[in-house]
Amino acid sequence: MNKFNYRLVSRVMGSLMLIESIVLLVICLIPLIYGENDAYYFLKTSGICLVFAGLALIISRNPSSNIGKREGSVIVTFTWIIFTLFGLLPFWLSGSIPSFTDAFFETMSGFTTTGSSILNNIEELSHGMLFWRSLTHWIGGLGIIVISLAILPVFGVSGTQLFAAETTGPTKDKIHPKINETAKRLFAIYIALTISETVLLKLGGMNWFDALCHSFATIATGGFSTKQASIGYWDSGYIQYIITLFMILSGINFSLYYFGLKNKWQKIRENEELRYYLIVLFTFAIIVSWSLVDFSKVQSFQPLEKAWRDALFTVTSLMTTTGFVTADYMFWKPLTWVILLIVMLTGASAGSTSGGIKMIRVVISAKAIYYEFKRLIHPNAVFPVRYSKHLVREDIVTRVLAFTLLYLIVAAFGILILAISGMGFLESIGGLITCLGGVGPGLGLVGPAGNFSYIPDFSKWFLSFIMLIGRLELFTVLLLFTPTFWKN
Amino acid sequence: MNKFNYRLVSRVMGSLMLIESIVLLVICLIPLIYGENDAYYFLKTSGICLVFAGLALIISRNPSSNIGKREGSVIVTFTWIIFTLFGLLPFWLSGSIPSFTDAFFETMSGFTTTGSSILNNIEELSHGMLFWRSLTHWIGGLGIIVISLAILPVFGVSGTQLFAAETTGPTKDKIHPKINETAKRLFAIYIALTISETVLLKLGGMNWFDALCHSFATIATGGFSTKQASIGYWDSGYIQYIITLFMILSGINFSLYYFGLKNKWQKIRENEELRYYLIVLFTFAIIVSWSLVDFSKVQSFQPLEKAWRDALFTVTSLMTTTGFVTADYMFWKPLTWVILLIVMLTGASAGSTSGGIKMIRVVISAKAIYYEFKRLIHPNAVFPVRYSKHLVREDIVTRVLAFTLLYLIVAAFGILILAISGMGFLESIGGLITCLGGVGPGLGLVGPAGNFSYIPDFSKWFLSFIMLIGRLELFTVLLLFTPTFWKN
């Protein structure tokens, strides 16, 4: 194996820090616009970020261009950690979030597009802080889209993503110059969705600030709101349905938009992930809404519409791993909690900003399991797994099964560690699954009406780590902890 | 495919009913010994059973000896259902369990060696009923051992068992006459373990009746006790440690006893399943016992011993899927519940009477997942999974991963259905996992101090079905519900 290419890693990190520094500088405009006095903290953070970016770029001149899976894993993992370390500074330095642990948790929750919060009173934050908080989602979501659909298919860093690339990704050929072009198109789609939602929310009566912040959080399937009551603050069917629509759109593989633009409708129709994603989403939404209605008391259409809206919103929000809320589902029947936990585990589509296992893996796992039944009856026949009319290689099936199982094992042991750390049973289950999937709200005290402020510091650091490994699909980060990685 | 061999199926079922009829006839002795007046119900059931056995044998004269996987699945599944249907009659006819649903649940819980009960006052049952109740465990456990270690390796009915046979089973060659010989040896080991425990419990102060009934329940990893307080009734360290020991022994693959008798110690030392089973069991017992002790208040050795005894007993009982209890763990910290749920899912060894996923599958799944990490770094290298120094074929690895995942998916949807049926969140999770694994007590109201009497009738039928599919390792029963099975 080649020597680890520290210079190239340092060079990439330096460039990314430079970008963060510039973004933070631009944010200084927000306090200036709203006449608030905390522009200084963004400026200071931008400066600190610039210094480190400069150092990283200076020590890494003329790197060799050799990049392997190990470099890839380190770059991706440390990008999220370093962005979080700088990103928390405005919150922490300004005293908006006085505890370093809390600031780290909140910022990691932002960049991983999770949306779990430690804030007890979101509205007391300044416009600048709220804007930066929502923007961390948007940056994290963009990062994931570009990494999973433009960079990984070329480098093949994450094995599981390779597969998505082979079946649905826009790049089939593995030529480096393609990265830029693909990334640009994805960026355009990402921006187009964000602007469309912002305009539609403004038309519904939100101000531009809230509309933009919520669009950042929706397209990134993040979930930070500018209001303590989340989307429940706007008791407007229009706004809630618009956000539901954009959450659903954000849970679709971005490659499909690319195909749509190229008029390749056939590719979209054949896409099994999209089909099952929508089937599962609407099936569960119907079951939940049905459980919310007491039919013996229904006199008009209005309570039915409200139940359907809340059910659809909640299932969509948790399945796309956004995490906005309009109702406190802890008052709903336990069956809803089970449904919500299941959709939090599955997540929406690969190649979107959503987290969780992803429907493509769920579908392939389900097929692989079903074919085992066929093999019992016809032991000598060969039943290759098909997906969207393509054959799936045997080793890819094994990889998908291994991923899905690893996800559930990490969930089980994560719940164990949270319980050991002193959290309750509901809180450990809900908190772990929501952070691993990048959702936001959990169950019990960390449910939709609560937050993560009261949990022990250890649990906060552990959940920050869980958000990171969930966002980067387990293998990327956990690889760094295996002996194999360190053997030369 | 061959025509379904109804005659052979009917013949086998008839012979098995004949055996049940004879067993029920022998049980009439118990009421006679204890001067109780319910021998009549056993006699009547025995008669009914005999009539059906006769009918089945008459309509199935001269069957062809063709037997395939479809016949195998039907025979195994219906053996458990028919044994339960006849087995419940003494309870139901005598009014000991007035509800048919309850009687079915209790008897299925017996034959599947689960041990979940709907009885609110166990001690009010007669000696005959209690003996029959415990004996259902012992018969069910014996059935599983013989099927999984003597019959399946020859017929290859259950794919997952084939694998166990290939690595640890006593029969490597697939010759029919071997079945009898292997079955006889397993039967001898089974009886030897039962007698040893009975004698040791008698020496500890139990009467012969209780000693025998508890030995039936231990060796079968069942969990029915003759006392409402289960093993907590005997506040004796000796009795509790003896039962712990025999629960551990019953969770070991019975092939290993066979190897032990043949002085093949090498085979036992190399057995990875045994090693990991004991490591996991003692690790979790240590964590649980540590969580039970308030070290600031400990003044003597006695509370430490009690904590260790309760923790070891409880972890052993739930991991071997026995389900005896000495303490109400619902008063313990939530972290213990998580540990107990995890060991209920894993279970003990394949080829034992224990339920759950089985350690062999857990170990192979874990290795397969770890090798995916290696493949990320070395994409072109081949990393075959090794188990007990043998290579595991790629398709077997896929099958193991598929089984483990299917188990967790069945658990998730089972919990959903229980929640829909109106059970609480804790009860749905605990009740499903305990019945699927064949354990006994769950969490909350169906926890160690409660029972399953209050749950809705639908939930009782559903959990009876869950016990059956869990006991027969999912594929055997679920196969009957696939279109593939019915296609000719």
Side-chain angles (χ1 to χ4, degrees), chain B residues 362-385:
Chain B
V362 174
V363 171
I364 289 173
S365 297
K367 289 189 179 189
I369 291 170
Y370 184 67
Y371 292 164
E372 285 302 319
F373 282 101
K374 287 198 171 185
R375 273 183 226 196
L376 281 182
I377 297 282
H378 311 280
N380 300 318
V382 176
F383 300 101
V385 174

mmCIF file of all heavy atoms in Angstrom, chain B residues 362-385:
data_model
loop_
_atom_site.group_PDB
_atom_site.id
_atom_site.type_symbol
_atom_site.label_atom_id
_atom_site.label_comp_id
_atom_site.label_asym_id
_atom_site.label_seq_id
_atom_site.Cartn_x
_atom_site.Cartn_y
_atom_site.Cartn_z
ATOM 1 N N VAL B 362 -24.618 -14.800 14.862
ATOM 2 C CA VAL B 362 -24.127 -13.492 15.301
ATOM 3 C C VAL B 362 -22.642 -13.385 14.982
ATOM 4 O O VAL B 362 -22.168 -12.367 14.451
ATOM 5 C CB VAL B 362 -24.374 -13.311 16.819
ATOM 6 C CG1 VAL B 362 -23.744 -12.021 17.331
ATOM 7 C CG2 VAL B 362 -25.870 -13.323 17.113
ATOM 8 N N VAL B 363 -21.878 -14.457 15.277
ATOM 9 C CA VAL B 363 -20.428 -14.439 15.050
ATOM 10 C C VAL B 363 -20.126 -14.321 13.556
ATOM 11 O O VAL B 363 -19.310 -13.500 13.132
ATOM 12 C CB VAL B 363 -19.776 -15.703 15.648
ATOM 13 C CG1 VAL B 363 -18.316 -15.801 15.236
ATOM 14 C CG2 VAL B 363 -19.912 -15.696 17.167
ATOM 15 N N ILE B 364 -20.799 -15.116 12.747
ATOM 16 C CA ILE B 364 -20.524 -15.076 11.300
ATOM 17 C C ILE B 364 -20.956 -13.738 10.704
ATOM 18 O O ILE B 364 -20.253 -13.169 9.870
ATOM 19 C CB ILE B 364 -21.208 -16.264 10.590
ATOM 20 C CG1 ILE B 364 -20.466 -17.551 10.980
ATOM 21 C CG2 ILE B 364 -21.205 -16.080 9.076
ATOM 22 C CD1 ILE B 364 -21.117 -18.810 10.495
ATOM 23 N N SER B 365 -22.086 -13.210 11.144
ATOM 24 C CA SER B 365 -22.513 -11.893 10.662
ATOM 25 C C SER B 365 -21.475 -10.840 11.019
ATOM 26 O O SER B 365 -21.110 -10.000 10.186
ATOM 27 C CB SER B 365 -23.857 -11.497 11.282
ATOM 28 O OG SER B 365 -24.869 -12.387 10.906
ATOM 29 N N ALA B 366 -20.988 -10.892 12.267
ATOM 30 C CA ALA B 366 -20.006 -9.899 12.705
ATOM 31 C C ALA B 366 -18.735 -10.000 11.868
ATOM 32 O O ALA B 366 -18.172 -8.990 11.448
ATOM 33 C CB ALA B 366 -19.688 -10.093 14.187
ATOM 34 N N LYS B 367 -18.307 -11.222 11.581
ATOM 35 C CA LYS B 367 -17.101 -11.382 10.762
ATOM 36 C C LYS B 367 -17.323 -10.874 9.344
ATOM 37 O O LYS B 367 -16.469 -10.205 8.770
ATOM 38 C CB LYS B 367 -16.690 -12.857 10.713
ATOM 39 C CG LYS B 367 -16.133 -13.344 12.026
ATOM 40 C CD LYS B 367 -15.541 -14.732 11.870
ATOM 41 C CE LYS B 367 -14.958 -15.172 13.203
ATOM 42 N NZ LYS B 367 -14.177 -16.404 13.076
ATOM 43 N N ALA B 368 -18.494 -11.206 8.783
ATOM 44 C CA ALA B 368 -18.789 -10.759 7.416
ATOM 45 C C ALA B 368 -18.763 -9.243 7.352
ATOM 46 O O ALA B 368 -18.239 -8.655 6.402
ATOM 47 C CB ALA B 368 -20.148 -11.288 6.970
ATOM 48 N N ILE B 369 -19.311 -8.611 8.372
ATOM 49 C CA ILE B 369 -19.314 -7.141 8.388
ATOM 50 C C ILE B 369 -17.891 -6.613 8.496
ATOM 51 O O ILE B 369 -17.500 -5.694 7.785
ATOM 52 C CB ILE B 369 -20.183 -6.613 9.552
ATOM 53 C CG1 ILE B 369 -21.664 -6.903 9.277
ATOM 54 C CG2 ILE B 369 -19.962 -5.124 9.764
ATOM 55 C CD1 ILE B 369 -22.573 -6.633 10.447
ATOM 56 N N TYR B 370 -17.086 -7.252 9.361
ATOM 57 C CA TYR B 370 -15.717 -6.779 9.519
ATOM 58 C C TYR B 370 -14.930 -6.925 8.219
ATOM 59 O O TYR B 370 -14.138 -6.048 7.859
ATOM 60 C CB TYR B 370 -15.001 -7.499 10.661
ATOM 61 C CG TYR B 370 -13.627 -6.926 10.879
ATOM 62 C CD1 TYR B 370 -13.497 -5.616 11.361
ATOM 63 C CD2 TYR B 370 -12.485 -7.630 10.561
ATOM 64 C CE1 TYR B 370 -12.253 -5.042 11.522
ATOM 65 C CE2 TYR B 370 -11.231 -7.065 10.717
ATOM 66 C CZ TYR B 370 -11.120 -5.765 11.203
ATOM 67 O OH TYR B 370 -9.887 -5.190 11.354
ATOM 68 N N TYR B 371 -15.171 -7.999 7.490
ATOM 69 C CA TYR B 371 -14.441 -8.201 6.244
ATOM 70 C C TYR B 371 -14.823 -7.180 5.187
ATOM 71 O O TYR B 371 -14.065 -6.911 4.268
ATOM 72 C CB TYR B 371 -14.634 -9.632 5.724
ATOM 73 C CG TYR B 371 -13.969 -10.649 6.615
ATOM 74 C CD1 TYR B 371 -14.258 -11.999 6.540
ATOM 75 C CD2 TYR B 371 -13.020 -10.248 7.554
ATOM 76 C CE1 TYR B 371 -13.648 -12.924 7.376
ATOM 77 C CE2 TYR B 371 -12.398 -11.152 8.393
ATOM 78 C CZ TYR B 371 -12.722 -12.491 8.311
ATOM 79 O OH TYR B 371 -12.106 -13.382 9.143
ATOM 80 N N GLU B 372 -16.040 -6.599 5.306
ATOM 81 C CA GLU B 372 -16.401 -5.527 4.382
ATOM 82 C C GLU B 372 -15.482 -4.321 4.568
ATOM 83 O O GLU B 372 -15.160 -3.615 3.611
ATOM 84 C CB GLU B 372 -17.862 -5.103 4.579
ATOM 85 C CG GLU B 372 -18.872 -6.083 4.022
ATOM 86 C CD GLU B 372 -18.697 -6.339 2.529
ATOM 87 O OE1 GLU B 372 -18.432 -5.393 1.783
ATOM 88 O OE2 GLU B 372 -18.815 -7.514 2.127
ATOM 89 N N PHE B 373 -15.047 -4.103 5.810
ATOM 90 C CA PHE B 373 -14.096 -3.015 6.052
ATOM 91 C C PHE B 373 -12.780 -3.310 5.346
ATOM 92 O O PHE B 373 -12.189 -2.455 4.717
ATOM 93 C CB PHE B 373 -13.828 -2.851 7.556
ATOM 94 C CG PHE B 373 -14.927 -2.126 8.282
ATOM 95 C CD1 PHE B 373 -15.859 -2.814 9.033
ATOM 96 C CD2 PHE B 373 -15.023 -0.747 8.202
ATOM 97 C CE1 PHE B 373 -16.870 -2.142 9.702
ATOM 98 C CE2 PHE B 373 -16.028 -0.063 8.874
ATOM 99 C CZ PHE B 373 -16.952 -0.764 9.618
ATOM 100 N N LYS B 374 -12.327 -4.563 5.472
ATOM 101 C CA LYS B 374 -11.082 -4.941 4.820
ATOM 102 C C LYS B 374 -11.184 -4.765 3.316
ATOM 103 O O LYS B 374 -10.258 -4.328 2.656
ATOM 104 C CB LYS B 374 -10.757 -6.413 5.117
ATOM 105 C CG LYS B 374 -10.285 -6.667 6.526
ATOM 106 C CD LYS B 374 -9.595 -8.019 6.580
ATOM 107 C CE LYS B 374 -8.914 -8.237 7.930
ATOM 108 N NZ LYS B 374 -8.155 -9.498 7.928
ATOM 109 N N ARG B 375 -12.352 -5.125 2.768
ATOM 110 C CA ARG B 375 -12.532 -5.018 1.319
ATOM 111 C C ARG B 375 -12.492 -3.574 0.849
ATOM 112 O O ARG B 375 -12.155 -3.296 -0.288
ATOM 113 C CB ARG B 375 -13.869 -5.640 0.909
ATOM 114 C CG ARG B 375 -13.737 -7.123 0.667
ATOM 115 C CD ARG B 375 -15.031 -7.725 0.183
ATOM 116 N NE ARG B 375 -15.257 -8.955 0.937
ATOM 117 C CZ ARG B 375 -16.115 -9.891 0.590
ATOM 118 N NH1 ARG B 375 -16.850 -9.749 -0.476
ATOM 119 N NH2 ARG B 375 -16.248 -10.977 1.313
ATOM 120 N N LEU B 376 -12.901 -2.653 1.734
ATOM 121 C CA LEU B 376 -12.855 -1.247 1.344
ATOM 122 C C LEU B 376 -11.419 -0.820 1.080
ATOM 123 O O LEU B 376 -11.138 -0.069 0.158
ATOM 124 C CB LEU B 376 -13.430 -0.375 2.460
ATOM 125 C CG LEU B 376 -14.939 -0.310 2.570
ATOM 126 C CD1 LEU B 376 -15.329 0.622 3.690
ATOM 127 C CD2 LEU B 376 -15.541 0.173 1.269
ATOM 128 N N ILE B 377 -10.508 -1.326 1.925
ATOM 129 C CA ILE B 377 -9.101 -0.949 1.800
ATOM 130 C C ILE B 377 -8.428 -1.750 0.683
ATOM 131 O O ILE B 377 -7.617 -1.237 -0.069
ATOM 132 C CB ILE B 377 -8.368 -1.191 3.136
ATOM 133 C CG1 ILE B 377 -8.947 -0.296 4.229
ATOM 134 C CG2 ILE B 377 -6.877 -0.955 2.981
ATOM 135 C CD1 ILE B 377 -8.482 1.132 4.174
ATOM 136 N N HIS B 378 -8.769 -3.035 0.606
ATOM 137 C CA HIS B 378 -8.154 -3.901 -0.403
ATOM 138 C C HIS B 378 -9.244 -4.464 -1.311
ATOM 139 O O HIS B 378 -9.659 -5.609 -1.152
ATOM 140 C CB HIS B 378 -7.416 -5.067 0.266
ATOM 141 C CG HIS B 378 -6.519 -4.641 1.375
ATOM 142 N ND1 HIS B 378 -5.268 -4.125 1.168
ATOM 143 C CD2 HIS B 378 -6.697 -4.644 2.716
ATOM 144 C CE1 HIS B 378 -4.708 -3.834 2.324
ATOM 145 N NE2 HIS B 378 -5.556 -4.136 3.279
ATOM 146 N N PRO B 379 -9.740 -3.651 -2.246
ATOM 147 C CA PRO B 379 -10.941 -4.042 -2.996
ATOM 148 C C PRO B 379 -10.770 -5.309 -3.838
ATOM 149 O O PRO B 379 -11.745 -5.969 -4.149
ATOM 150 C CB PRO B 379 -11.224 -2.828 -3.880
ATOM 151 C CG PRO B 379 -9.983 -2.013 -3.874
ATOM 152 C CD PRO B 379 -9.236 -2.331 -2.630
ATOM 153 N N ASN B 380 -9.530 -5.647 -4.196
ATOM 154 C CA ASN B 380 -9.371 -6.797 -5.077
ATOM 155 C C ASN B 380 -8.965 -8.070 -4.342
ATOM 156 O O ASN B 380 -8.878 -9.132 -4.937
ATOM 157 C CB ASN B 380 -8.352 -6.478 -6.174
ATOM 158 C CG ASN B 380 -8.817 -5.283 -6.997
ATOM 159 O OD1 ASN B 380 -9.987 -5.188 -7.333
ATOM 160 N ND2 ASN B 380 -7.915 -4.365 -7.263
ATOM 161 N N ALA B 381 -8.699 -7.954 -3.042
ATOM 162 C CA ALA B 381 -8.318 -9.140 -2.285
ATOM 163 C C ALA B 381 -9.566 -9.935 -1.912
ATOM 164 O O ALA B 381 -10.676 -9.399 -1.888
ATOM 165 C CB ALA B 381 -7.573 -8.729 -1.025
ATOM 166 N N VAL B 382 -9.377 -11.214 -1.671
ATOM 167 C CA VAL B 382 -10.495 -12.067 -1.271
ATOM 168 C C VAL B 382 -10.357 -12.381 0.214
ATOM 169 O O VAL B 382 -9.289 -12.783 0.676
ATOM 170 C CB VAL B 382 -10.491 -13.379 -2.090
ATOM 171 C CG1 VAL B 382 -11.599 -14.308 -1.609
ATOM 172 C CG2 VAL B 382 -10.658 -13.063 -3.567
ATOM 173 N N PHE B 383 -11.413 -12.129 0.980
ATOM 174 C CA PHE B 383 -11.393 -12.413 2.410
ATOM 175 C C PHE B 383 -12.498 -13.386 2.756
ATOM 176 O O PHE B 383 -13.598 -12.976 3.106
ATOM 177 C CB PHE B 383 -11.587 -11.132 3.221
ATOM 178 C CG PHE B 383 -10.542 -10.097 3.000
ATOM 179 C CD1 PHE B 383 -10.790 -9.011 2.174
ATOM 180 C CD2 PHE B 383 -9.299 -10.213 3.594
ATOM 181 C CE1 PHE B 383 -9.817 -8.047 1.967
ATOM 182 C CE2 PHE B 383 -8.320 -9.255 3.388
ATOM 183 C CZ PHE B 383 -8.580 -8.173 2.565
ATOM 184 N N PRO B 384 -12.235 -14.683 2.660
ATOM 185 C CA PRO B 384 -13.295 -15.622 3.000
ATOM 186 C C PRO B 384 -13.510 -15.638 4.515
ATOM 187 O O PRO B 384 -12.558 -15.485 5.278
ATOM 188 C CB PRO B 384 -12.752 -16.960 2.513
ATOM 189 C CG PRO B 384 -11.273 -16.800 2.507
ATOM 190 C CD PRO B 384 -10.959 -15.345 2.382
ATOM 191 N N VAL B 385 -14.768 -15.792 4.908
ATOM 192 C CA VAL B 385 -15.085 -15.847 6.333
ATOM 193 C C VAL B 385 -14.677 -17.219 6.872
ATOM 194 O O VAL B 385 -14.985 -18.244 6.268
ATOM 195 C CB VAL B 385 -16.589 -15.601 6.557
ATOM 196 C CG1 VAL B 385 -16.963 -15.800 8.015
ATOM 197 C CG2 VAL B 385 -16.969 -14.197 6.107
#
